[in-house]
Amino acid sequence: MSDMPNAARGNTDVSMLAALPFSQACENNREPILSVLRELLTDSKRVLEIGSGTGQHSVYFAPRLPHVSWQTSDVPANHAAIHAWQQQYPADNVQPPLVLDLTSLDDIRAVTARPYDAVFTANTLHIVSWDLVLRLLGVAASVLPADGLLIVYGPFNEHGDYTSAGNRQFDAALQARGMGSAIRDIETVTVAAGQMQLSLIDRYAMPANNQLLVFQKQPDTL
Ligand SMILES: C[S@@+](CC[C@H](N)C(=O)[O-])C[C@H]1O[C@@H](n2cnc3c(N)ncnc32)[C@H](O)[C@@H]1O
């Protein structure tokens, strides 16, 4: 029998997890996301995750993508959770979180000092304000080489409209927070990304009315 922890094997032991900060959404979406990451990250070696949250995605994906070094990052308030998950489910290729609060230019400078060949972020673009969405895109554009991928998972609107009644309700709740949170339009994000040399090259319809968007860094032009 494998000595891999249950969550790392894909069969979460609920009693072991009781003490850890927990996201049910991560449990639900990790396998559909992983199946796309397996396709997209075949040639990647260093992945930066922005907004790692509880850290659940990192400890699930890293052992299943053993050829990549998975670098987590988030605001300091989430680091205890990420450390806890990484201690519970250690993997050689998952890195403890970098401090990355997109409101901090110092954090951005420190994180963008290292190169990555892919950037992954899940469920962040509708949480942070639009200004910080632009900063997140800027971080990706800055750390990626030509052809590097930015992979963005979450709910999106299409052509200015909701893709489901559930997303409409969710967006109302987000906007009621008054912090600039909102479901973004794919087209608006695509235009903003394009201005930073990140071209939308693919998109995957995901369960529960989510999308996975794939942007590729374009080479510098003279
Ligand atoms: C809904 S959670 C998603 C977490 C995780 N990626 C997931 O899919 O479960 C939103 C994430 O955005 C992060 N976030 C919010 N404000 C941020 C900021 N100013 N800078 C960086 N990350 C931020 C939160 O800390 C949190 O990890």
Side-chain angles (χ1 to χ4, degrees), residues 26 51-53 57 74-75 78 100-103 122-124 127-128 132:
C26 278
S52 298
H57 277 153
D74 210 323
V75 297
N78 281 346
L100 178 54
D101 183 335
L102 292 162
T103 64
N123 289 317
T124 51
I127 297 295
V128 301
L132 297 191

Side-chain angles (χ1 to χ4, degrees), residues 67-164:
H67 57 290
V68 306
S69 170
W70 190 278
Q71 176 64 65
T72 53
S73 75
D74 210 323
V75 297
N78 281 346
H79 283 211
I82 299 168
H83 282 298
W85 274 87
Q86 291 183 354
Q87 265 171 17
Q88 188 77 55
Y89 302 111
D92 287 344
N93 61 330
V94 66
Q95 312 304 327
L98 299 175
V99 175
L100 178 54
D101 183 335
L102 292 162
T103 64
S104 162
L105 293 179
D106 285 344
D107 290 357
I108 288 175
R109 259 182 232 111
V111 168
T112 56
R114 303 188 208 178
Y116 297 90
D117 45 37
V119 174
F120 171 78
T121 192
N123 289 317
T124 51
L125 267 55
H126 62 280
I127 297 295
V128 301
S129 66
W130 179 249
D131 282 353
L132 297 191
V133 171
L134 297 179
R135 284 196 178 176
L136 187 155
L137 295 173
V139 168
S142 169
V143 299
L144 290 174
D147 297 337
L149 298 181
L150 166 63
I151 301 164
V152 181
Y153 170 89
F156 288 93
N157 289 341
E158 291 188 57
H159 310 298
D161 207 355
Y162 299 101
T163 59
S164 71

Side-chain angles (χ1 to χ4, degrees), residues 141-218:
S142 169
V143 299
L144 290 174
D147 297 337
L149 298 181
L150 166 63
I151 301 164
V152 181
Y153 170 89
F156 288 93
N157 289 341
E158 291 188 57
H159 310 298
D161 207 355
Y162 299 101
T163 59
S164 71
N167 278 1
R168 180 187 295 274
Q169 271 185 338
F170 183 42
D171 192 45
L174 288 169
Q175 298 209 29
R177 290 158 41 120
M179 298 167 68
S181 302
I183 294 181
R184 312 296 171 194
D185 290 330
I186 291 179
E187 295 78 9
T188 312
V189 174
T190 300
V191 169
Q195 288 166 351
M196 300 188 211
Q197 290 178 250
L198 295 166
S199 300
L200 183 68
I201 58 162
D202 214 342
R203 49 186 281 192
Y204 297 75
M206 303 296 281
N209 297 302
N210 287 297
Q211 302 272 334
L212 190 146
L213 308 180
V214 186
F215 299 89
Q216 187 171 48
K217 176 83 181 290
Q218 298 307 304

